[in-house]
């Protein structure tokens, strides 16, 4: 997939009307073609490399020349195309903001210019539709200079799609287990995790708005080949793990809705077909697709809200658990559950997703005011979206906290037997504390509050699974295209990811029971917890660099706060991983985990080293700023102290 606001990666083309040999005319020509003040464009490549004027016509690609081949961060207003809803095209070239000053300064390279190296070609249209086939125009509202509901509505969409990751089946299971294990005591942890997630999503959205590139694209342009391939593999693992959870959730919901007539493996197979069907909605326009996701979120709010009204949790305990950060009489199970909440809420691939979704709005990145306005409205929309998801999560936690906290298997078994429930066999008649998952949770609700509660619960889980599956598909496509420059159709992408996710899930569903199927969620939560640094560290690195973000780079407060938050999250998740590995009780697994941990921590340390240098800890670079592992690109210089002459010589 090739987004319309990006310049394709092309061989360096022969310049149109090449300038004469004077440096001044070359510089003027270079700036007129790229609208970018680049240190490496101050001299023509034949002069920089000491070549003769005869090489002027060849203009070969070299690291010493102007390197226009990867000025991929240039953006444009998409041309008026057939079927486009974006109005008239605007290809007027404008100088990027903050282009004043001498050429040695690092400036933002985002511009609204057309690609100077590729003339429009109607025959080069993509054979498949994409999320960015059309962009939503932002209306002008002169009467409301500070805040406009019309503009907020135009920016509404990406935040709600992002918020679906906070409502996937993995999160729902974490919520109900939190309520059953700790009652209302961990609600403040859920609120804190959501707030931290909001702040980190803000960084991802700002990166996409300011640069016109999403996180995977920036990583591809800035990290060296081996690190970025490892990074891509780690993010793909997180996406596949999330996809498996969504398949499990959807299969369980289908099984519950059919009263067991459709087996779990049948539900797994159904999720393949229905995902392809839903993706056809992409052909009907961006706003209709976003409206459909909003509809699924509404279904979750109504279904889980119904459970909340039916159970009627104690409002006093709810408020106490929400605003008093204390867990009385809590032990190891409650602590592990608190860690699990943080790991379930903050999803690694969601950073990549959100930074790409914000590109769906028509923002002139050459205009600082418009960029600032877009950042403001996207943040407001994200606050609203995550508040809605937080309320839905509260519904689930409080329902199970009120009805099933401190319940034993014998208590539930007797209730289910009296209600003639077909699920009474799920709960042994013993005095062990009740352990629930999304399958048992629906069965318990059916036993206590009637079949309607069970079916409504299943509908909510199905909506969560389907919405998360589709946003996971978008994440996978953005990540693959950003890291590898592969332009796959969404259906090919879904087929690959879903095939990888389906295989182990289907085998467990066929040869094991629902206990083993839901038990996979613990392993998948650990897997995604391990991938968190590979999203959080890069997003903090690039949003802290003035050479990438210009005036919108993180200030000292955000650098320190962001670093501390990421450190806290990574430490919490490492505890979760260690606790899981220790529970395996197998020496061979300990040894294998130890070897993998050394490799894993080494790569995390490498990314952290680069991040610290980007945050301003320059002494870690040992004076060799050009050998940090960042790839030198003319459109995104990573350090303000890069020597332009050294770069040209290189």
């Amino acid at each position: 997939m090739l987004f319309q606001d990006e310049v394709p990666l092309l061989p360096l083309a022969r310049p149109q009307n090449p300038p004469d040999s004077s440096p001044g005319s070359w510089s003027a020509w270079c700036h007129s073609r790229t609208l970018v003040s680049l240190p490496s464009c101050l001299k023509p490549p034949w002069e920089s490399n000491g070549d003769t004027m005869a090489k002027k016509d060849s203009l070969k690609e070299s690291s010493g020349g102007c390197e226009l081949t990867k000025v991929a961060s240039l953006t444009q207003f998409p041309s008026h195309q057939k079927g486009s809803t974006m109005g008239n095209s605007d290809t007027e070239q404008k100088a990027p903001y903050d282009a004043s000053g001498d050429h040695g300064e690092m400036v933002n390279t985002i511009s609204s210019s057309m690609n100077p190296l590729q003339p429009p070609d109607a025959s080069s249209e993509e054979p498949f539709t994409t999320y960015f086939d059309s962009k939503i125009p932002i209306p002008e509202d002169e009467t409301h200079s500070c805040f406009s509901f019309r503009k907020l509505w135009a920016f509404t969409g990406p935040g709600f799609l992002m918020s679906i990751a906070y409502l996937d089946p993995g999160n729902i299971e974490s919520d109900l287990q939190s309520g059953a294990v700790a009652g209302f005591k961990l609600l403040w942890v859920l609120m804190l995790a959501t707030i931290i997630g909001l702040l980190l999503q803000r960084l991802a959205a700002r990166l996409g708005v300011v640069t016109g590139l999403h996180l995977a694209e920036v990583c591809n342009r800035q990290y060296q080949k081996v690190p970025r391939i490892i990074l891509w593999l780690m993010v793909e693992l997180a996406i596949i793990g999330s996809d498996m959870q969504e398949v499990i959730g959807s299969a369980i919901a289908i099984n519950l809705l059919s009263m067991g007539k459709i087996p779990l493996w049948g539900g797994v197979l159904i999720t393949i077909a229905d995902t392809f069907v839903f993706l056809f909605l992409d052909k009907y326009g961006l706003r209709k697709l976003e409206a459909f996701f909003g509809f699924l979120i509404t279904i979750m709010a109504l279904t889980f809200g119904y459970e909340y009204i039916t159970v009627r949790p104690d409002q006093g305990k709810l408020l106490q658990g929400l605003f008093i950060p204390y867990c009385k009489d809590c032990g190891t199970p409650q602590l592990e559950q608190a860690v699990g909440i943080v790991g379930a809420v903050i999803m690694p691939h969601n950073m990549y997703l959100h930074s790409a979704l914000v590109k769906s709005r028509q923002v002139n990145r050459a205009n600082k005011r418009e960029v600032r306005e877009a950042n403001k409205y996207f943040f407001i929309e994200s606050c609203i979206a995550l508040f809605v998801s937080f309320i839905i999560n509260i519904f689930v936690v409080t329902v199970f906290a009120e009805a099933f906290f401190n319940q034993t298997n014998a208590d539930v078994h007797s209730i289910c037997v009296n209600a003639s429930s077909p699920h009474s066999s799920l709960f042994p008649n013993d005095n062990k504390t009740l352990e629930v998952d999304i399958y048992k949770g629906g069965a318990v609700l059916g036993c206590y509050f009637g079949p309607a509660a069970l079916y409504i619960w299943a509908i909510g889980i199905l909506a969560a699974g389907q919405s998360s599956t589709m946003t996971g598909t978008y994440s996978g496509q953005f990540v693959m295209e950003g890291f590898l420059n592969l332009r796959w159709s969404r259906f090919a992408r879904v087929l690959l990811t879903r095939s990888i996710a389906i295989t182990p899930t289907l085998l467990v569903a066929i040869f094991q029971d629902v206990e083993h199927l839901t038990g996979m969620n613990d392993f998948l939560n650990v897997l995604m917890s391990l991938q968190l640094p590979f999203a959080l560290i890069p997003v903090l690195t690039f949003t802290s660099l003035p050479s990438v973000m210009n005036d919108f780079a993180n200030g000292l407060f955000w650098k320190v706060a962001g670093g501390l938050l990421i450190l806290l999250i990574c430490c919490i998740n490492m505890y979760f991983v260690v606790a899981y590995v220790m529970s395996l009780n197998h020496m061979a697994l300990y040894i294998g985990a130890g070897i993998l941990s050394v490799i894993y921590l080494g790569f995390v340390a490498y990314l952290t080293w680069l991040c610290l240098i980007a945050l301003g800890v320059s002494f870690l670079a040992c004076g060799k700023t050009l050998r940090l592992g960042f790839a030198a690109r003319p459109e995104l210089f990573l350090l303000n102290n890069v020597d332009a002459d050294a770069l040209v010589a290189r």
Side-chain angles (χ1 to χ4, degrees), residues 4 77-80 84-89 133-137 362:
Q4 288 185 355
F77 287 111
S79 300
H80 183 68
S84 173
T85 60
M86 295 162 43
N88 297 328
S89 64
D133 274 346
S134 64
K135 290 195 175 185
I136 306 301
Q362 191 175 10

Side-chain angles (χ1 to χ4, degrees), residues 1 3 128-136 156-159 161-162 282-283 285-287 289-290 293 353 356-361 378 474 477-478 490:
M1 180 179 75
F3 304 140
F128 53 91
T129 58
T130 71
Y131 184 86
F132 298 105
D133 274 346
S134 64
K135 290 195 175 185
I136 306 301
T156 297
L161 268 67
M162 169 272 297
D282 193 57
K283 297 179 179 294
L286 181 57
R287 290 303 258 179
L289 181 68
E290 292 175 346
F293 281 104
L353 175 68
L357 292 176
V358 295
K359 294 169 60 179
S360 61
R361 266 49 183 180
F378 275 130
Y474 285 115
Q477 190 174 23
F478 296 144
R490 185 156 302 124

